[in-house]
Amino acid sequence: MQIFGAYGYAHGIESYTGPGLSYLENEQGDATVYNLPDTSDMHTSVGRVGAHITAKTGPVRNEITVNGDYLQILAGYFYEYGDSYSTNIYHPIALTPLVPKVAGLKNIPNTNLNRLSSVAIADVATAFNGKLIVIGGVRGQWVGEKEYFSEIDRGSNNTPVGVACTENCSYNKGVASPSIAAMYHLPKGFSVYGNFMQDLQQGPTAPDGSANQSQVFAPYVAKQEEVGAKYEHGSLLATAALFQITEPNGVLNPTTNLYAVNGDQRNRGLELEVSGNIVPSIRVNGGISFIDARQRNTGVTFENDSNDTGGTDGKRAQGIPGTQSNLNVEWTVPKLRSLNLDARVVASNGQWGDTAEQLRIPAWARLDIGGRYQIKTKYPIDLRVNIDNVTGNNYYESGLLGLSLGAPRALRISSGIHF
């Protein structure tokens, strides 16, 4: 029997002033950029205790784990909209820098309290000489959030003044979440598996810029089902999996600017992955996923909808591309084995920048290259050089309630020593 426990605490303070939000306005690429100074003061506590027991019941070996987890985040947030300007993501307009604003406030009061806790018991049962593995368990989960102030205003002499939260300020919810998974090893390195699990998640918060920003929505239960097959030969591992994930759907109504949780989002997909050595000196790690993310039972109708969509049921989810892929290849130079060269390609097809399929974000791809050389000494030294986005491709990674500019071409040089 093993008994374990852990505790951690972190205190973080952040102050920032500069561009913070970008909103895409139409398919032609017109956008608005806001200056968004913010300050935060966050206290995080986390703990875990548990026990691990191994037992044998006839031909079945059981590994039983009981544990409890606790996470608390007590934080104060302050932000304010500053200047804004219009631009176009395809033809950026060169403008004078935004006027800097002082973001920092002293002694920010606590605005939010989040608590996540759980108690779980799980059993890993192995039978038929390790060919069959079944994992089953149940977890009691509790999610709680309290909002003390809906916003913090800047008072005289940078003294914070809180606006007390009066509606939808807190929630607490608990649920028992079962999970089960099974794997069976077939001859010649093949195996098949399947699993089902559900998890209690924190409800979303209405984003900055929405008419009901900071509104806290109730926790929800996310469900996942997956079946798949694996092939293993030496260091080479290949996996194919079919999955389905169901979770609540968040919608920002472009007419009323209200954010709401309506219906659910069902993500169905196929994922193919491979990793390991294809020849002794060449290693690969890559995969491709095909995802059909759809909105269901939303009951949402947008006013003044020029395309007369009548709602979002059946439309694709915002910010989720239909296809994503990546491939990383590393080569150990045969006559200079201390030298490793690598290249990585990451690609994503287009995605929708809104829930009504009005704003389309183009597909993109990026190439990264690098190398690592090890100097053999008593304490080996690694020297690394990487170039990200070699071709300098300009792209946007996500359309989820805003725009995320892809990383530019960058040279990174680093070193490390092995003790």
Side-chain angles (χ1 to χ4, degrees), residues 233-237 274-285 330-332 337 340:
H233 179 73
S235 67
L236 189 66
L237 175 65
V274 63
S275 63
N277 289 74
I278 53 176
V279 296
S281 61
I282 298 179
R283 292 173 296 280
V284 298
N285 184 6
E330 185 174 352
W331 176 43
T332 300
R337 300 190 64 83
N340 289 272

Side-chain angles (χ1 to χ4, degrees), residues 34-312:
Y34 288 90
N35 191 16
L36 187 68
D38 71 82
T39 298
S40 65
D41 189 345
M42 184 180 299
H43 300 262
T44 303
S45 300
V46 60
R48 165 175 285 191
V49 294
H52 183 78
I53 305 167
T54 300
K56 195 168 184 180
T57 308
V60 180
R61 174 186 171 87
N62 297 277
E63 295 183 29
I64 302 171
T65 302
V66 181
N67 68 276
D69 295 277
Y70 179 80
L71 170 66
Q72 175 178 289
I73 301 174
L74 181 62
Y77 300 102
F78 165 78
Y79 55 87
E80 60 183 352
Y81 282 99
D83 303 323
S84 67
Y85 65 88
S86 298
T87 185
N88 186 282
I89 64 174
Y90 303 115
H91 309 286
I93 300 172
L95 298 173
T96 5
L98 297 176
V99 178
K101 291 184 179 290
V102 178
L105 282 181
K106 296 180 179 180
N107 303 318
I108 298 177
N110 295 320
T111 57
N112 297 82
L113 173 66
N114 295 276
R115 285 197 182 105
L116 306 175
S117 57
S118 68
V119 176
I121 180 170
D123 181 20
V124 180
T126 307
F128 304 120
N129 296 320
K131 289 185 177 181
L132 176 63
I133 301 174
V134 178
I135 305 172
V138 63
R139 180 166 59 165
Q141 295 178 268
W142 294 268
V143 174
E145 179 168 336
K146 184 174 182 180
E147 186 174 0
Y148 300 103
F149 298 101
S150 58
E151 61 180 286
I152 300 294
D153 292 333
R154 186 189 296 275
S156 59
N157 300 320
N158 272 359
T159 302
V161 178
V163 178
C165 180
T166 57
E167 293 184 12
N168 303 307
C169 301
S170 65
Y171 64 71
N172 284 282
K173 184 175 182 178
V175 69
S177 301
S179 62
I180 187 167
M183 173 180 286
Y184 188 79
H185 294 280
L186 299 168
K188 298 183 179 181
F190 287 94
S191 58
V192 291
Y193 72 91
N195 63 58
F196 167 80
M197 63 184 65
Q198 63 181 43
D199 191 29
L200 184 65
Q201 301 282 344
Q202 279 185 274
T205 300
D208 299 342
S210 60
N212 56 332
Q213 67 180 35
S214 300
Q215 180 180 341
V216 177
F217 291 86
Y220 62 88
V221 176
K223 297 180 181 180
Q224 175 180 313
E225 299 96 24
E226 181 179 351
V227 294
K230 296 184 178 183
Y231 172 72
E232 192 169 2
H233 179 73
S235 67
L236 189 66
L237 175 65
T239 304
L242 291 168
F243 63 88
Q244 176 174 290
I245 301 172
T246 306
E247 59 186 359
N249 185 58
V251 177
L252 181 65
N253 191 311
T255 305
T256 63
N257 200 33
L258 285 171
Y259 181 84
V261 175
N262 297 89
D264 58 46
Q265 177 181 311
R266 186 189 64 194
N267 306 319
R268 285 179 171 173
L270 168 65
E271 190 171 61
L272 306 173
E273 294 182 340
V274 63
S275 63
N277 289 74
I278 53 176
V279 296
S281 61
I282 298 179
R283 292 173 296 280
V284 298
N285 184 6
I288 184 169
S289 60
F290 305 92
I291 304 175
D292 182 33
R294 300 281 178 174
Q295 304 170 70
R296 304 187 307 169
N297 307 314
T298 60
V300 176
T301 300
F302 294 150
E303 299 174 12
N304 303 320
D305 189 344
S306 58
N307 289 336
D308 192 27
T309 60
T312 62

